[in-house]
Amino acid sequence: AQSVTQLDSHVSVSEGTPVLLRCNYSSSYSPSLFWYVQHPNKGLQLLLKYTSAATLVKGINGFEAEFKKSETSFHLTKPSAHMSDAAEYFCVVSELSTLTFGKGTMLLVSP
Amino acid sequence: EADIYQTPRYLVIGTGKKITLECSQTMGHDKMYWYQQDPGMELHLIHYSYGVNSTEKGDLSSESTVSRIRTEHFPLTLESARPSHTSQYLCASSGAGSNQPQHFGDGTRLSIL
């Protein structure tokens, strides 16, 4: 069975500082991993995906994530936060076409 | 931007009414999904379909039903709405192949009085 743990329910940063959203997973197979972002009253938008190619994955809006099999982690980073990055972020593991969502991390960005 | 549409975006309605939430996608995806999401919480899969005339229940038990008569259309119906059905409902679709990312609509926020 697969599972996803997002280690922080809330992360607060100042505009212009780095962002780190942490995600650990467990999977019996070689999983695919995704990060999604959800702005208020909107659906989920795909930020990036890992599907067993390069371990460092670049996504939209300057986000990237690194797949570390030895640490079973897939942390999301961005060098410099923007006010528009304030949203909820979901780490998702996909195994045999079944998606499992983390509980989400709310990113708060202050001026 | 994914081409998947949900209507209505918001619905406030009384107990006992029959409700249908619409979901359509123009990407030709065979796989479609319905999720339920309470405020500040993760998504729970309630229904999915892998093609026309195929529907399955998801991980979270739901009193809703779905149908898949056309590839592009995956409506969700509540025969008799109750306050416990108040939630956000998100529709998604994905392409062929395993482990494809899902594309989401903007959701329907449902409030049952």
Side-chain angles (χ1 to χ4, degrees):
Chain A
Q2 62 201 37
S3 67
V4 179
T5 302
Q6 290 184 243
L7 297 160
D8 306 292
S9 59
H10 293 81
V11 170
S12 295
V13 300
S14 299
E15 191 173 21
T17 63
V19 175
L20 170 64
L21 305 183
R22 298 182 295 165
C23 173
N24 286 110
Y25 71 93
S26 68
S27 174
S28 304
Y29 301 91
S30 296
S32 292
L33 293 156
F34 310 96
W35 275 99
Y36 284 86
V37 61
Q38 185 177 32
H39 291 277
N41 298 317
K42 302 288 280 185
L44 277 68
Q45 180 185 15
L46 181 67
L47 275 179
L48 50 80
K49 61 181 179 180
Y50 166 78
T51 54
S52 76
T55 56
L56 183 62
V57 182
K58 293 188 183 299
I60 62 172
N61 301 335
F63 284 94
E64 62 182 38
E66 186 170 8
F67 174 73
K68 292 187 176 181
K69 187 175 182 178
S70 60
E71 299 176 10
T72 60
S73 69
F74 190 57
H75 302 334
L76 181 70
T77 60
K78 183 173 180 177
S80 176
H82 192 273
M83 294 297 291
S84 62
D85 295 327
E88 187 149 26
Y89 291 78
F90 291 93
C91 182
V92 181
V93 60
S94 177
E95 185 181 278
L96 302 178
S97 297
T98 298
L99 293 194
T100 300
F101 288 79
K103 292 183 182 295
T105 297
M106 183 66 71
L107 177 64
L108 307 169
V109 183
S110 56
Chain B
E1 199 73 25
D3 296 322
I4 181 163
Y5 307 101
Q6 291 186 244
T7 57
R9 288 294 318 281
Y10 303 93
L11 179 61
V12 181
I13 200 166
T15 298
K17 302 290 187 182
K18 180 178 180 179
I19 298 166
T20 297
L21 308 185
E22 302 287 350
C23 176
S24 295
Q25 50 96 6
T26 59
M27 296 170 283
H29 287 166
D30 284 328
K31 299 176 184 177
M32 295 189 74
Y33 313 83
W34 276 103
Y35 292 89
Q36 186 171 340
Q37 182 186 30
D38 291 321
M41 301 295 286
E42 70 268 43
L43 280 70
H44 293 286
L45 182 68
I46 52 175
H47 298 283
Y48 63 97
S49 167
Y50 283 173
V52 171
N53 295 326
S54 151
T55 61
E56 301 288 343
K57 290 189 177 295
D59 306 322
L60 181 68
S61 175
S62 174
E63 294 169 347
S64 59
T65 59
V66 292
S67 62
R68 190 86 183 278
I69 299 172
R70 303 197 316 266
T71 298
E72 63 271 22
H73 194 214
F74 191 40
L76 180 145
T77 298
L78 282 162
E79 288 294 334
S80 180
R82 295 207 301 267
S84 60
H85 297 140
T86 295
S87 190
Q88 175 158 251
Y89 294 83
L90 290 165
C91 181
S93 71
S94 64
S98 60
N99 299 334
Q100 292 297 310
Q102 294 181 9
H103 301 274
F104 285 81
D106 283 341
T108 294
R109 190 169 294 279
L110 178 63
S111 294
I112 310 300
L113 304 177

